[in-house]
Amino acid sequence: MNYSDSIIKIKGIGEKTQKVFSRIGIETVQDLLEHYPRDYEEFGRPIPISQVREGSVVTIEAYLGMSPRLKRVRHLQILNVQVRDSSGTLLLTWFNMPFLRNRLKMGSRYLFRGKISFKNGVYVMEQPKIYFNKEDYYKLLKILQPIYPLTEGLTNNLITKSMHEVHKNLEFAKDYIPRNISREYSLMDRTKALKEIHFPKDRDSLARARNRLAFDEFFLYSLALRMMRESKAQSKTNYPMVESRECSDLINGLPYELTNAQNLVWDEIKKDMTSEYSMNRLVQGDVGSGKTILAILALLMTVKNGYQGCIMVPTEVLAKQHYNSFRSLLSEYNISICLLVGSMTPKEKRDTYDKIRDHRVDIIVGTHALIQEKLEYDKLALVITDEQHRFGVKQREELMTKGKKPNVLVMSATPIPRTLAIILYGDLDISIVDELPARRLPIKNCVVNTNYRPTAYRFIENQVALGRQAYVICPMVEESEMIEAENVIDYTEQLKEVLPSNISVEYLHGKMKPKEKNDIMERFADGDISVLVSTTVVEVGVNVPNATVMMVENAERFGLAQLHQLRGRVGRGQHQSYCIFVCGTQSKEAKERLEILNKSNDGFYIAEEDLKLRGPGDLFGIRQSGDLDFKIGNIYTDAAILKLAAKAAKSLSDEEAGKIFLKNPYLKDRVLGQSSGTL
């Protein structure tokens, strides 16, 4: 069996199953091998009920102390039963499994396994798995069982069986890394790493396997960036420019003064654009630091030198907002601006393509539609990508090919520590806007437990009464069997019951169709929706200055950098804004982490602190916002590995680096083609 073989060759996978796998991007044997577990379940010996603790997944051996009771709450059937052992009692709860009432017998002993939560003063095990036969359970002791990301129609058992089949029939794995580097960095053999990541013999082997595979990703990424950097290093510009008086006029006409940081970065951009070489610059700035005006100035300078410029953003809503604000700010400079987004009709797109090709428009604002094959530009001298972490490097490259080595300006609000940014954006010069405008009111934060909810709801109600809007973030779309966390769909219904009927409450999540999501976001931006209950899809891509409250449920389930991104959705207008972090656990560590956010609004400080706290030992934490979409590596928790891999890639000779790419021509697409999901 070869890496490139279709998964249809794997025993147990037919055409129907193949189609299900393809929905999550698994077409080949290699795709399957690189579909890594999101977690592992480790079966330990049963413990006494008295030793259960909130947040832990445990097994208990107990008998029924009461007959199971079934009740209905909205669309749910909830089965409750109290079980006992010699040390105490525990409440068990199942959702939509009424048939268990007839299978569980009073006085009989069973093994129950599940996650412990603490509700209304008592410990609860929700949706536990039942082992009616002890022998079945004891066979699993101390074995790490992989838990995979799934989709509808795909079970964990099927993926596990398929993975076993592949490992039985695949003799060795392709190794991208030279042996001398593997030896120098004590890396596990890749073939062994691919087996241990799926079926580890112990935690130590799992950690070593994961480190090896993360190293591979970072090494290839760093190597590809190096090849890109060398291919375009100091390339002579095709678009010579001079400074334009209009830029100074725009700055002087603004209703506010640029900060020192903005002026410094603008000087760097001007210097790049008026030099004899093409610009390749990253502007990194915290949420609200004023990067957009720098983009507008760069576009104005480009147009006044006789060229075209474009800016690509991750969502249609943000594209439309930029389009309107650009037109307003540049109205007196005789500049033609157009919008290009995916939802436009074919005729609208054709007309826009013609205008762009004929240079009847100077500035193009859009989404991924800017890199469509049919689109031709005329003298495209400046390419800007906003919210860069939502685009892969490959997409930036595709946009660049639309012009003849245009100037490139990459903008990111992701607070990545500078040491990591230098590696991740190795083909770019870096500028940092590290100062917030004086007119911005600092966001007021608080970290609370779930008992604070009624007070928070009253606060949201009062803010809406003042004409403001609010976000409520939940970590999940729907209720999960094994995870105790708020979900947007049920939460929205609950909030509609709690808040007055005249307050419009709607929900938003990533599984909705693009048109539905855009419609919801536009209605919220227009003020038609007062409270938006959402997953993290709102962390980038919309600007609603009227929103003053951000309430995050189960805040402990997110990385600090992501929470800071979410917080950045408020504080954008003239009114005081507030962020309420609701901690759904009693964990001391979780509360200490959230206190960092409580005390600081500085994204770079928060990123550094998050890096210290999470550390390389956190194998499978919640993914950080802003990670390039590596399959297993995490730029925060694996920062040390990232630095070593970048060092290793840098140590190769040009000949060695070239050979790796010649042997693996698909690497550039695989390594640089990452793109996080967008609205």
Side-chain angles (χ1 to χ4, degrees):
M1 191 178 292
N2 297 316
Y3 257 44
S4 57
D5 285 345
S6 166
I7 57 170
I8 200 79
K9 289 193 174 184
I10 301 170
K11 184 180 176 183
I13 295 181
E15 288 185 12
K16 186 178 177 183
T17 310
Q18 182 188 26
K19 288 178 181 176
V20 178
F21 271 110
S22 70
R23 288 212 302 263
I24 53 174
I26 298 177
E27 306 281 356
T28 66
V29 169
Q30 176 151 350
D31 293 335
L32 181 64
L33 279 170
E34 294 179 358
H35 187 67
Y36 301 121
R38 63 174 175 80
D39 206 344
Y40 299 85
E41 188 169 13
E42 187 171 9
F43 292 80
R45 292 191 174 277
I47 66 169
I49 288 175
S50 61
Q51 292 181 15
V52 302
R53 293 292 179 267
E54 182 186 15
S56 60
V57 176
V58 298
T59 305
I60 61 164
E61 183 174 357
Y63 64 91
L64 271 63
M66 56 174 268
S67 296
R69 290 184 303 194
L70 186 66
K71 65 176 181 178
R72 296 177 184 273
V73 179
R74 295 190 304 279
H75 62 286
L76 287 177
Q77 295 184 74
I78 303 174
L79 186 69
N80 288 318
V81 64
Q82 190 182 72
V83 296
R84 299 175 177 273
D85 66 8
S86 59
S87 70
T89 62
L90 184 67
L91 181 64
L92 309 183
T93 300
W94 289 270
F95 301 103
N96 292 332
M97 298 180 73
F99 56 87
L100 289 177
R101 182 168 54 169
N102 299 322
R103 293 201 65 187
L104 295 168
K105 307 297 181 185
M106 281 283 290
S108 296
R109 298 182 74 86
Y110 306 97
L111 290 173
F112 300 99
R113 180 171 178 79
K115 188 170 185 178
I116 302 295
S117 58
F118 191 73
K119 289 186 172 182
N120 302 318
V122 297
Y123 286 110
V124 184
M125 183 184 283
E126 291 191 344
Q127 213 73 6
K129 188 168 182 180
I130 309 168
Y131 292 87
F132 295 93
N133 187 331
K134 283 187 187 180
E135 285 69 29
D136 290 342
Y137 180 81
Y138 281 96
K139 288 177 185 175
L140 301 171
L141 279 186
K142 295 187 177 179
I143 296 175
L144 288 168
Q145 301 287 338
I147 301 172
Y148 292 98
L150 302 173
T151 188
E152 188 177 349
L154 199 59
T155 66
N156 202 72
N157 191 42
L158 175 60
I159 296 180
T160 303
K161 282 184 176 178
S162 302
M163 210 67 76
H164 276 299
E165 284 295 321
V166 168
H167 283 296
K168 274 196 297 185
N169 294 290
L170 192 72
E171 290 184 13
F172 64 92
K174 290 180 183 176
D175 202 334
Y176 313 114
I177 298 179
R179 286 182 182 176
N180 62 315
I181 289 179
S182 293
R183 285 194 299 269
E184 182 180 349
Y185 293 96
S186 302
L187 299 176
M188 178 183 277
D189 173 73
R190 182 173 170 83
T191 302
K192 186 178 180 183
L194 278 170
K195 185 168 185 180
E196 290 291 327
I197 199 70
H198 295 288
F199 307 112
K201 63 182 179 185
D202 53 41
R203 288 274 169 186
D204 181 60
S205 292
L206 170 60
R208 289 191 63 220
R210 190 184 174 285
N211 285 355
R212 164 64 206 250
L213 297 171
F215 189 100
D216 279 14
E217 286 189 322
F218 294 146
F219 175 82
L220 294 172
Y221 180 84
S222 298
L223 192 59
L225 277 183
R226 170 184 162 177
M227 303 292 281
M228 283 173 53
R229 183 170 59 245
E230 289 173 359
S231 70
K232 64 188 181 189
Q234 293 293 287
S235 57
K236 292 276 188 177
T237 184
N238 292 307
Y239 307 101
M241 295 192 201
V242 295
E243 289 190 40
S244 60
R245 175 181 50 80
E246 288 84 355
C247 290
S248 298
D249 292 344
L250 178 59
I251 292 170
N252 293 330
L254 291 172
Y256 53 84
E257 285 189 15
L258 296 184
T259 63
N260 291 332
Q262 285 174 310
N263 279 314
L264 180 64
V265 174
W266 173 231
D267 285 343
E268 291 172 338
I269 292 170
K270 280 192 298 184
K271 187 176 179 182
D272 284 349
M273 293 175 69
T274 56
S275 78
E276 58 183 308
Y277 301 104
S278 296
M279 174 173 69
N280 285 290
R281 184 166 293 279
L282 165 69
V283 174
Q284 205 183 359
D286 209 346
V287 175
S289 60
K291 298 181 297 299
T292 304
I293 189 63
L294 298 174
I296 292 172
L297 287 166
L299 287 165
L300 177 58
M301 183 171 165
T302 300
V303 172
K304 289 306 172 183
N305 275 275
Y307 308 120
Q308 284 180 320
C310 69
I311 179 168
M312 183 166 71
V313 300
T315 69
E316 289 198 7
V317 176
L318 187 59
K320 289 173 184 175
Q321 289 179 330
H322 274 352
Y323 171 68
N324 291 327
S325 65
F326 285 18
R327 289 182 68 194
S328 174
L329 275 167
L330 300 174
S331 59
E332 60 186 81
Y333 295 101
N334 191 30
I335 289 174
S336 175
I337 305 172
C338 76
L339 179 70
L340 184 59
V341 293
S343 64
M344 291 166 64
T345 65
K347 184 181 185 305
E348 288 172 330
K349 286 179 184 175
R350 283 196 302 273
D351 290 346
T352 304
Y353 289 168
D354 290 344
K355 289 178 183 176
I356 294 169
R357 186 189 61 240
D358 299 340
H359 205 146
R360 282 180 280 148
V361 289
D362 305 304
I363 295 173
I364 304 94
V365 183
T367 55
H368 292 79
L370 296 182
I371 55 177
Q372 296 302 309
E373 285 184 17
K374 296 177 183 177
L375 179 55
E376 295 176 34
Y377 294 84
D378 178 65
K379 297 181 181 177
L380 180 62
L382 176 63
V383 164
I384 303 176
T385 54
D386 195 9
E387 304 283 13
Q388 167 59 31
H389 66 281
R390 286 285 154 171
F391 299 111
V393 180
K394 180 170 174 268
Q395 289 164 318
R396 173 165 31 109
E397 289 290 291
E398 286 175 357
L399 191 50
M400 285 173 62
T401 60
K402 292 292 184 179
K404 297 176 181 177
K405 293 186 179 178
N407 294 290
V408 175
L409 188 61
V410 174
M411 301 170 70
S412 175
T414 307
I416 301 172
R418 186 177 178 86
T419 52
L420 301 187
I422 289 169
I423 296 170
L424 292 168
Y425 298 107
D427 59 323
L428 302 168
D429 297 315
I430 297 178
S431 294
I432 296 183
V433 186
D434 55 2
E435 184 181 358
L436 289 178
R439 67 189 184 281
R440 287 252 170 171
L441 290 171
I443 296 168
K444 293 184 177 179
N445 309 293
C446 65
V447 177
V448 298
N449 60 31
T450 53
N451 294 331
Y452 187 81
R453 276 195 194 122
T455 306
Y457 295 156
R458 285 196 302 273
F459 183 74
I460 289 173
E461 185 180 337
N462 291 336
Q463 286 289 299
V464 172
L466 292 170
R468 318 283 178 258
Q469 292 164 273
Y471 297 93
V472 179
I473 305 300
C474 298
M476 299 170 63
V477 177
E478 296 169 322
E479 195 152 39
S480 167
E481 293 182 356
M482 288 296 287
I483 301 173
E484 171 62 23
E486 298 299 333
N487 67 87
V488 294
I489 296 173
D490 287 346
Y491 199 104
T492 302
E493 293 306 311
Q494 293 170 23
L495 209 50
K496 284 180 177 179
E497 292 175 10
V498 171
L499 296 175
S501 58
N502 64 324
I503 293 179
S504 172
V505 183
E506 297 291 347
Y507 66 74
L508 176 73
H509 59 76
K511 292 183 180 179
M512 296 166 72
K513 292 177 180 176
K515 189 177 184 305
E516 290 179 291
K517 285 186 281 191
N518 274 319
D519 178 58
I520 292 288
M521 292 303 292
E522 286 185 357
R523 286 173 57 207
F524 187 65
D526 293 341
D528 297 334
I529 296 170
S530 298
V531 181
L532 183 62
V533 182
S534 175
T535 56
T536 57
V537 293
V538 298
E539 71 186 75
V540 295
V542 67
N543 180 35
V544 185
N546 193 49
T548 56
V549 182
M550 168 62 68
M551 180 175 173
V552 184
E553 289 283 358
N554 298 107
E556 75 282 356
R557 295 185 59 79
F558 302 98
L560 295 187
Q562 185 168 31
L563 288 172
H564 179 66
Q565 283 284 334
L566 290 167
R567 176 168 58 185
R569 295 303 97 202
V570 296
R572 292 169 167 262
Q574 58 182 322
H575 306 292
Q576 179 64 58
S577 288
Y578 309 85
C579 195
I580 304 165
F581 299 108
V582 182
C583 186
T585 175
Q586 295 177 317
S587 163
K588 182 183 175 185
E589 291 79 9
K591 290 175 181 174
E592 285 177 353
R593 283 180 65 245
L594 293 176
E595 274 303 312
I596 294 170
L597 284 166
N598 196 16
K599 293 173 183 175
S600 176
N601 288 317
D602 182 345
F604 291 95
Y605 166 78
I606 288 163
E608 292 282 6
E609 290 300 306
D610 204 11
L611 191 56
K612 291 176 194 171
L613 278 174
R614 291 164 72 83
D618 183 2
L619 285 181
F620 294 92
I622 300 294
R623 271 200 178 277
Q624 293 283 12
S625 162
D627 289 4
L628 290 152
D629 199 15
F630 296 111
K631 290 187 176 180
I632 199 166
N634 181 299
I635 63 171
Y636 288 86
T637 59
D638 301 319
I641 301 173
L642 172 59
K643 291 173 183 176
L644 290 175
K647 181 182 176 184
K650 191 176 180 181
S651 72
L652 292 178
S653 67
D654 290 343
E655 185 181 0
E656 288 174 309
K659 279 182 180 177
I660 292 174
F661 266 74
L662 287 172
K663 283 195 299 184
N664 302 282
Y666 65 91
L667 276 186
K668 185 172 179 180
D669 278 350
R670 288 183 60 83
V671 177
L672 299 183
Q674 303 120 333
S675 171
S676 302
T678 62
L679 272 173

